[in-house]
Amino acid sequence: MFSRKENNQEENFERLRLEMVQSQLERRNIRDQRVLEAMGKVPRHRFVPERLGSEAYEDHPLPIGEGQTISQPYMVAIMTELLELRGGERVLEIGTGSGYQLAVLAELAREVFSVERFGPLADRSRALLRELGYRNVEIRNGDGTLGWPERAPFDGIIVTAGAPRIPPPLVEQLSEGGRLVVPVGEERHQELCRVVKEGGETRKEYFGGCVFVPLVGEHGWDTA
Ligand code: SAH
């Protein structure tokens, strides 16, 4: 049970969250109603350090420890929308970080998996998602540029760190008709790329510039 003070705080966060959905997402043309609903529901303030809770619904990324960041809400919405989830999918995320993007995916797909390079971030996110009641989620500590072969194939794969090139294992682990969303480019600036696998062939589309922390691993950058 929440105390009255905590209740007030939760109501305040809910108001900020709905404002975020309207002003940062709907107004900027996020159209997928399921994405808007999911982001109106997931308590983003629980995924940032407590002292930054009041900034959780603002229009920018925030630090989450280990030199990493939780993405700006709009970026989470765009990348999620590009996966075109309908509810029955198996989805893999590379770069669990705070676990926020994974919670949004867990609202929208049947089973979601995530790989995180930093053990402490993986452990913290696993505990938080469990506490929030997500049961369709599995998190592993390791190098996500190799994907998660034991759980493949995936209908959607989303990479939430910037890659120097598209990691081949991720394309291999896509199912027929599956979509991979990945920021690709330089260390400090990338283009958001979507790879669609159709009839054994892959098609690439680009959706503009973005800035992510580096994807570090065998098919990523050498160092952070
Ligand atoms: N999706 C996260 C944002 C993560 S920031 C969220 O919603 O909070 C990017 C994350 O990618 C960082 O936590 C970083 O440690 C992780 N990362 C970088 N390279 C990786 C790799 N090769 N495998 C798995 N995780 C990686």
Side-chain angles (χ1 to χ4, degrees):
M1 285 298 284
F2 289 127
S3 68
R4 181 182 296 179
K5 179 158 170 260
E6 283 165 338
N7 264 332
N8 283 342
Q9 251 176 13
E10 288 302 310
E11 279 169 22
N12 192 29
F13 282 131
E14 185 170 3
R15 189 174 49 73
L16 292 173
R17 186 155 65 240
L18 296 178
E19 261 173 42
M20 169 195 89
V21 169
Q22 281 183 357
S23 65
Q24 299 174 39
L25 310 184
E26 283 183 305
R27 205 169 292 161
R28 289 188 194 140
N29 281 329
I30 299 298
R31 288 285 157 76
D32 188 328
Q33 288 303 318
R34 296 181 72 238
V35 173
L36 296 171
E37 271 168 35
M39 291 186 66
K41 186 170 165 196
V42 177
R44 183 170 160 99
H45 59 282
R46 297 294 310 274
F47 294 83
V48 306
E50 211 172 337
R51 70 192 156 80
L52 296 177
S54 62
E55 287 182 58
Y57 298 99
E58 290 180 9
D59 192 15
H60 51 76
L62 287 169
I64 54 170
E66 309 284 349
Q68 306 303 318
T69 53
I70 176 174
S71 303
Q72 173 198 24
Y74 179 63
M75 191 50 66
V76 172
I78 287 214
M79 293 178 80
T80 308
E81 190 168 65
L82 288 174
L83 290 175
E84 296 179 23
L85 300 173
R86 293 293 163 262
E89 297 85 357
R90 293 161 49 81
V91 178
L92 173 68
E93 177 198 32
I94 308 306
T96 319
S98 69
Y100 175 71
Q101 170 77 71
L102 190 58
V104 172
L105 294 171
E107 295 280 350
L108 295 169
R110 185 159 57 87
E111 284 180 288
V112 295
F113 305 87
S114 187
V115 185
E116 168 57 49
R117 179 174 163 251
F118 283 113
L121 289 179
D123 293 342
R124 199 168 72 195
S125 297
R126 193 181 295 116
L128 177 57
L129 286 167
R130 191 173 302 145
E131 186 197 327
L132 293 175
Y134 292 100
R135 295 286 177 267
N136 56 341
V137 170
E138 201 179 345
I139 298 175
R140 183 173 76 83
N141 176 214
D143 177 5
T145 68
L146 302 170
W148 193 336
E150 297 81 2
R151 296 287 183 275
F154 303 100
D155 307 303
I157 302 181
I158 180 170
V159 182
T160 61
R165 56 195 171 274
I166 295 169
L170 300 186
V171 179
E172 277 159 31
Q173 290 171 33
L174 272 185
S175 62
E176 170 63 25
R179 298 176 176 80
L180 162 65
V181 176
V182 52
V184 187
E186 307 300 318
E187 233 173 303
R188 286 167 199 289
H189 184 263
Q190 304 90 32
E191 292 280 324
L192 193 56
C193 178
R194 177 167 72 175
V195 181
V196 183
K197 202 181 212 177
E198 272 167 351
E201 309 222 326
T202 57
R203 175 163 52 83
K204 278 182 212 155
E205 304 157 277
Y206 289 89
F207 297 89
C210 51
V211 180
F212 279 83
V213 298
L215 180 73
V216 178
E218 190 168 325
H219 299 279
W221 298 96
D222 284 340
T223 51

